[in-house]
Amino acid sequence: MVVTKHIAPTLDDVARAAGVSRSTASRAINGGDRVSPEAQQAVDAAIAHLGYAPNRAARSLVTRRTDSIALVVPEPDARILTDPFLAGVVRGVSEGLGGTDLQLVLLLARPGERPGHIARYLNSGHVDGVIIASHHKDDQIEPELRAGTLPGVFVGRPFDTAGLHYVDVDNRAGARVATQRLIDRGCRTIATLTGPQDMTATLDRFDGWRQTLTRAGLSTAAVANGDFTVQGGTAAMEKVLDEHPDVDGVFAASDLMATGALQVLHARGRRVPEDVAVVGFDALGAERTTPRLTTVLQPVVEMVAAATSSLLDMLAGQNVHPEPRIFIPRLVEGDSA
């Protein structure tokens, strides 16, 4: 039996079928200008009839596009699997690219990686655009992105916002809402469990907690630094109880840290909320804690959708307004405060 090998149609085949030159067919396929509506229609019909699939490598030489965008999460890969905020970011960007031909490239931090490695990759022409989430001050992504021409959007406020696009939640306002809830309950020794000190979300949430307590004439001494993880919340809560045994309110800067705090309080025989009231931040999985966590909503789905939409507009050549998109947080009722 003779097996006939199917030969994929070429650009020349498309040009002949459409009755146009090879260069016209190439421009029509690659979205170039100087193609008449009649020629574009003929090329489109020829592609459909022949089942032609453009060679991506050859196409990129013409368009200087890679048809891919990067999602940068400068965190270890274990955090992607355990942190609901980061998992939501990945899922949101992937869904936001639905209906496009763009592929998603996920870039994570690796142990021992030199600062600036990811930033250098981004400016080497491997992707057409980038979304950055959970970035840290020493990542060097901000200055590299500002100095280059790669379109990019941050999920979370950069340290230096000049010339950079970003979306964020009003972290200070969210912390004020959380802290005021504890004050309204009658708490008077209110601690905070912070996130990493090299992230703007941490600093803004700390400021909101401190401002609210200061206005109420309450002490801001009960502070323990964490890292937005359950383990970090456990260690921070242990430190607070050791140093401030009279604590009766806790604002944890993430729901994961609040989860760790609840575990420690239970182990130490402190009732929640009767002895110590707890408020978290994120509203991602708070319903799975015991008691159900009172928390502040960070609308990650809407934030990521806005960031992805802005980046797609940039790639389409549209003017994107430089003003950031800031989302308003709100308290989500639970049983812990």
Side-chain angles (χ1 to χ4, degrees):
M1 180 177 66
V2 177
V3 178
T4 302
K5 184 177 180 181
H6 174 71
I7 301 176
T10 66
L11 178 62
D12 289 326
D13 295 331
V14 172
R16 278 194 297 271
V20 299
S21 68
R22 189 178 192 278
S23 60
T24 297
S26 176
R27 289 197 301 272
I29 291 169
N30 294 311
D33 52 10
R34 295 181 293 115
V35 179
S36 69
E38 295 78 10
Q40 184 70 58
Q41 185 176 9
V43 170
D44 290 343
I47 289 173
H49 175 70
L50 296 172
Y52 174 74
N55 183 302
R56 284 188 175 272
R59 184 176 184 272
S60 67
L61 292 176
V62 176
T63 64
R64 299 184 183 273
R65 295 279 292 270
T66 67
D67 288 336
S68 61
I69 69 165
L71 170 60
V72 175
V73 182
E75 302 285 0
D77 54 5
R79 287 287 305 277
I80 294 291
L81 301 176
T82 59
D83 190 315
F85 173 77
L86 298 180
V89 169
V90 175
R91 185 168 57 252
V93 174
S94 180
E95 292 175 356
L97 296 180
T100 76
D101 292 327
L102 294 171
Q103 298 299 312
L104 180 62
V105 177
L106 180 60
L107 301 179
L108 307 177
R110 291 178 294 195
E113 189 172 71
R114 290 178 300 165
H117 176 77
I118 290 179
R120 287 188 291 273
Y121 175 89
L122 294 175
N123 278 333
S124 297
H126 298 294
V127 295
D128 298 327
V130 59
I131 294 174
I132 306 101
S134 192
H135 68 290
H136 299 255
K137 190 171 186 179
D138 293 334
D139 296 331
Q140 297 184 14
I141 294 175
E142 291 180 25
E144 288 287 342
L145 200 61
R146 186 179 294 106
T149 59
L150 184 69
V153 183
F154 285 81
V155 178
R157 179 176 62 83
F159 278 88
D160 183 357
T161 61
L164 298 177
H165 294 268
Y166 70 96
V167 302
D168 202 1
V169 67
D170 190 334
N171 287 291
R172 286 189 179 89
R176 289 194 292 265
V177 167
T179 308
Q180 190 61 51
R181 174 56 171 264
L182 295 169
I183 293 173
D184 292 344
R185 275 191 59 90
C187 300
R188 290 299 175 263
T189 303
I190 300 174
T192 186
L193 315 181
T194 77
Q197 297 301 296
D198 61 346
M199 299 182 72
T200 57
T202 293
L203 303 181
D204 290 348
R205 293 174 195 180
F206 176 79
D207 282 346
W209 168 83
R210 181 178 56 187
Q211 292 166 3
T212 307
L213 290 185
T214 299
R215 282 199 302 267
L218 299 176
S219 172
T220 59
V223 179
N225 296 333
D227 59 1
F228 289 154
T229 68
V230 174
Q231 295 79 7
T234 299
M237 192 70 248
E238 294 276 9
K239 182 175 185 291
V240 165
L241 289 176
D242 289 343
E243 297 179 356
H244 304 275
D246 60 336
V247 65
D248 57 2
V250 174
F251 165 53
S254 80
D255 284 352
L256 288 181
M257 295 205 319
T259 300
L262 291 174
Q263 294 172 358
V264 171
L265 291 167
H266 177 73
R268 295 260 191 130
R270 302 292 184 93
R271 297 172 302 163
V272 178
E274 293 84 358
D275 300 327
V276 182
V278 178
V279 180
F281 202 116
D282 283 335
L284 298 169
E287 70 281 356
R288 294 192 290 269
T289 63
T290 303
R292 186 166 53 93
L293 188 64
T294 300
T295 185
V296 174
L297 173 65
Q298 177 169 218
V300 59
V301 174
E302 291 85 351
M303 290 167 62
V304 173
T308 306
S309 177
S310 292
L311 182 61
L312 291 177
D313 287 345
M314 293 178 190
L315 296 179
Q318 300 180 23
N319 290 325
V320 176
H321 200 282
E323 286 298 314
R325 177 85 180 272
I326 306 298
F327 290 82
I328 304 302
R330 63 177 177 83
L331 193 72
V332 176
E333 295 291 345
D335 302 317
S336 66

